[in-house]
Amino acid sequence: MKWKMKAILFLFFCLNWAFLAVVAVGPPICSADLGGECSDAASDDWKGEFFPDIKKIKYEGPSSKNPLSYKWYNANEEILGKKMKDWLRFSVAFWHTFRGTGADPFGAPTKYWPWEDGTNSLAMAKRRMRANFEFINKLGVERWCFHDRDIAPDGKTLAEANANLDEVVALAKELQGTKIHPLWGTAQLFMHPRYMHGAATSSEVGVYAYAAAQVKKAMEVTHYLGGENYVFWGGREGYQSLLNTDMKRELDHLARFFQAAVDWKKKIGFNGTLLIEPKPQEPTKHQYDWDAATATSFLQKYGLTEEFKLNIECNHATLSGHSCFHELETARINGLLGNIDANTGDPQVGWDTDQFMTDIGEATLVMLSVVRNGGLAPGGFNFDAKLRRESTDVEDLFISHISGIDTMARGLRNAAKLIEYGSLDELVRKRYQSFDSEIGALIEAGKADFETLEKNAMEWGEPAVASGKQELAEMIFQSAL
Ligand code: XLS
Ligand code: NI
Ligand code: NI
């Protein structure tokens, strides 16, 4: 294989987590502000604010030209009988916001936040946690999401890793105060080389056990922090080649793993929802939770639909060849819509680029599903989005989140308009009205056998077929944007 081809494949598999890999195994990266000095013994001695130039972000309305203000998101304003903040339940993804360095397989980190010393020390983890909560407070959201290994350094042993986690989590609990808590927590089961064959689907029983122990702990700390949900993302639960894979056995193992998580959840009294986040590929060639329909049938087969819901990520939706709206509606009609990773991909790039959503039309469709679902609580929105490699100012962290928040808020306003106009609902209702007839009702009730239908078909003759009115539907939709 030519080096170019190799490099592209490498980029494909590593894109999402490259930044963490650099921090975990690469050479130390030193903050420019510290003159290139790196230390493993960073102290948690940060004085004053992390974002001194940024005040609390306020709603200023659509005519405001201030980039550090909300134009559409007015937290306490009521839309369709609920406060915007209760429809939207935003959360900040710790990994992208505080562990993203801008590194990619072709280039070194580009972001040198003033508070970073480039190490993965415990002291640095604590300092970063302080920055996280100042950020969340200034943004005015009430939730955050994390992986265990993003927030605290791994250890030489599991016991050491757990102790590190406990120390950082104790600080997080203190910094959260009474208003802030995790929308969800999760265990990072894909970075460490031990997980190269997967975690719950690994061919090694030792890895399965290690993953179980890691999830057990991550569930405990999520519960301790008052987390509302717990997420499983496939990570490496999939295969690279079917020739050396026992797919049936791996799926059975995965189901046993999930059942054990349910049992543990009950044992510790954690009431949060368990969520699976479908993704078709990346980092494996094929992930077992390909899309919402695949994840739904998996849950149904193994009798897990009472215990699990789906966390739909918009960028994963497009990777699987669906729109985000399709994935949300598939989850919703199966009673499984639990949470949304509200990011977006690039229309020209076939990777999980994890960008903040800026497309108003897409956001409107997303919010239409959410409203039809009656909201997402106890789920909500995790951005799961990162700054582009070339965005390197501290204020870009705020601007990107404000833009993502305003896009979803605008989507909600538009969805409300569509529902209030009612003409789209009416168009859809009319399209199926032939099923409101006597026979139609029998069909829907499962009481029309083929003989009855044949009799009707004979009587009726050639059926009348009305226009689908797609362009009218599109016109109505556009009128709400
Ligand atoms: C990766 C996933 C990940 C999950 C949490 O593609 O989106 O970020 O949301 O592990
Ligand atoms: Ni993703
Ligand atoms: Ni995600």
Side-chain angles (χ1 to χ4, degrees):
M1 222 181 323
K2 293 222 171 71
W3 75 267
K4 261 194 184 166
M5 195 52 204
K6 278 191 189 164
I8 286 168
L9 279 181
F10 184 58
L11 173 69
F12 177 82
F13 289 122
C14 305
L15 198 73
N16 229 18
W17 298 103
F19 57 87
L20 285 177
V22 169
V23 169
V25 296
I29 316 138
C30 310
S31 158
D33 300 60
L34 296 179
E37 262 175 60
C38 285
S39 139
D40 256 335
S43 60
D44 179 25
D45 58 355
W46 189 266
K47 298 274 181 306
E49 291 178 83
F50 292 86
F51 309 99
D53 301 332
I54 300 193
K55 301 198 179 57
K56 185 150 181 145
I57 311 300
K58 296 209 181 82
Y59 173 69
E60 293 182 4
S63 60
S64 172
K65 294 275 179 288
N66 176 8
L68 294 170
S69 75
Y70 294 120
K71 327 287 180 295
W72 305 94
Y73 180 61
N74 189 10
N76 289 311
E77 185 181 329
E78 280 209 1
I79 308 258
L80 296 172
K82 226 190 264 202
K83 287 186 178 163
M84 290 187 94
K85 67 173 188 175
D86 296 330
W87 281 118
L88 292 161
R89 299 168 57 83
F90 289 123
S91 70
V92 169
F94 186 91
W95 56 99
H96 286 308
T97 312
F98 289 97
R99 302 309 304 272
T101 64
D104 70 21
F106 297 95
T110 56
K111 300 177 212 312
Y112 300 106
W113 307 132
W115 57 87
E116 279 288 337
D117 71 355
T119 70
N120 197 14
S121 70
L122 197 50
M124 188 57 236
K126 290 189 193 167
R127 191 195 283 178
R128 213 177 269 131
M129 195 51 80
R130 293 185 194 281
N132 175 48
F133 284 103
E134 186 184 321
F135 182 77
I136 291 176
N137 276 304
K138 287 193 165 166
L139 210 55
V141 301
E142 295 171 0
R143 294 174 178 82
W144 62 301
C145 294
F146 64 92
H147 298 88
D148 51 0
R149 298 293 179 261
D150 306 328
I151 60 172
D154 207 342
K156 283 190 202 77
T157 62
L158 187 57
E160 193 183 308
N162 286 350
N164 287 344
L165 189 57
D166 283 338
E167 207 167 320
V168 178
V169 162
L171 175 68
K173 172 106 174 159
E174 187 190 317
L175 297 170
Q176 282 191 154
T178 51
K179 255 175 99 185
I180 301 172
H181 49 260
L183 176 65
W184 49 261
T186 187
Q188 191 206 78
L189 305 175
F190 41 89
M191 279 277 302
H192 195 281
R194 82 171 69 86
Y195 293 124
M196 70 178 182
H197 303 299
T201 63
S202 174
S203 39
E204 302 293 338
V205 69
V207 175
Y208 184 102
Y210 202 104
Q214 210 181 310
V215 167
K216 172 179 175 288
K217 180 72 181 174
M219 288 176 84
E220 288 162 15
V221 303
T222 303
H223 181 38
Y224 174 73
L225 289 169
E228 291 166 296
N229 306 273
Y230 184 87
V231 162
F232 294 87
W233 165 57
R236 294 178 189 275
E237 314 297 20
Y239 61 79
Q240 302 293 8
S241 166
L242 259 188
L243 288 175
N244 64 351
T245 299
D246 187 335
M247 181 153 63
K248 160 93 171 61
R249 220 163 161 183
E250 291 200 357
L251 284 164
D252 285 351
H253 292 177
L254 191 56
R256 302 291 171 265
F257 195 95
F258 285 149
Q259 187 55 54
V262 170
D263 296 344
W264 187 244
K265 169 190 149 161
K266 291 185 176 155
K267 196 150 189 184
I268 62 175
F270 174 53
N271 293 322
T273 312
L274 301 179
L275 296 154
I276 294 181
E277 184 179 322
K279 183 173 183 182
Q281 61 252 139
E282 253 196 76
T284 63
K285 167 193 144 120
H286 178 103
Q287 308 249 140
Y288 289 133
D289 52 357
W290 185 273
D291 61 1
T294 311
T296 299
S297 81
F298 171 86
L299 292 175
Q300 284 166 348
K301 175 179 172 187
Y302 291 101
L304 290 164
T305 46
E306 289 304 305
E307 307 292 348
F308 278 82
K309 284 195 169 171
L310 301 181
N311 178 37
I312 301 297
E313 176 167 324
C314 290
N315 202 162
H316 296 179
T318 47
L319 282 180
S320 68
H322 302 303
S323 65
C324 194
F325 191 39
H326 169 94
E327 289 294 85
L328 293 171
E329 288 293 277
T330 302
R332 184 181 71 77
I333 63 175
N334 284 297
L336 293 175
L337 177 54
N339 197 85
I340 298 177
D341 275 11
N343 60 10
T344 202
D346 182 290
Q348 276 108 43
V349 182
W351 298 311
D352 197 12
T353 54
D354 289 335
Q355 295 172 230
F356 284 87
M357 194 184 285
T358 53
D359 184 315
I360 314 295
E362 189 178 11
T364 304
L365 293 170
V366 167
M367 291 314 299
L368 206 53
S369 258
V370 171
V371 171
R372 288 176 180 168
N373 201 54
L376 291 172
F381 289 87
N382 164 44
F383 290 107
D384 205 358
K386 61 186 176 213
L387 289 177
R388 297 304 84 196
R389 184 164 191 267
E390 302 83 345
S391 301
T392 52
D393 289 341
V394 165
E395 70 160 18
D396 295 335
L397 288 171
F398 280 89
I399 291 171
S400 58
H401 279 83
I402 292 169
S403 168
I405 287 175
D406 264 346
T407 303
M408 299 316 301
R410 214 165 158 183
L412 172 61
R413 290 177 187 277
N414 294 342
K417 271 194 245 167
L418 274 176
I419 288 164
E420 277 155 9
Y421 297 163
S423 32
L424 196 57
D425 284 344
E426 185 54 15
L427 184 150
V428 175
R429 194 195 63 73
K430 272 201 185 141
R431 192 166 180 217
Y432 297 90
Q433 71 187 359
S434 67
F435 280 86
D436 298 341
S437 71
E438 222 177 289
I439 288 291
L442 277 185
I443 293 174
E444 290 193 349
K447 289 183 182 150
D449 60 23
F450 273 7
E451 278 176 311
T452 318
L453 294 170
E454 185 189 45
K455 195 167 153 277
N456 277 274
M458 297 279 192
E459 261 174 48
W460 288 342
E462 191 55 35
V465 180
S467 164
K469 294 279 174 220
Q470 183 178 329
E471 295 77 7
L472 179 60
E474 286 161 356
M475 187 184 278
I476 297 170
F477 180 71
Q478 292 290 329
S479 72
L481 300 190

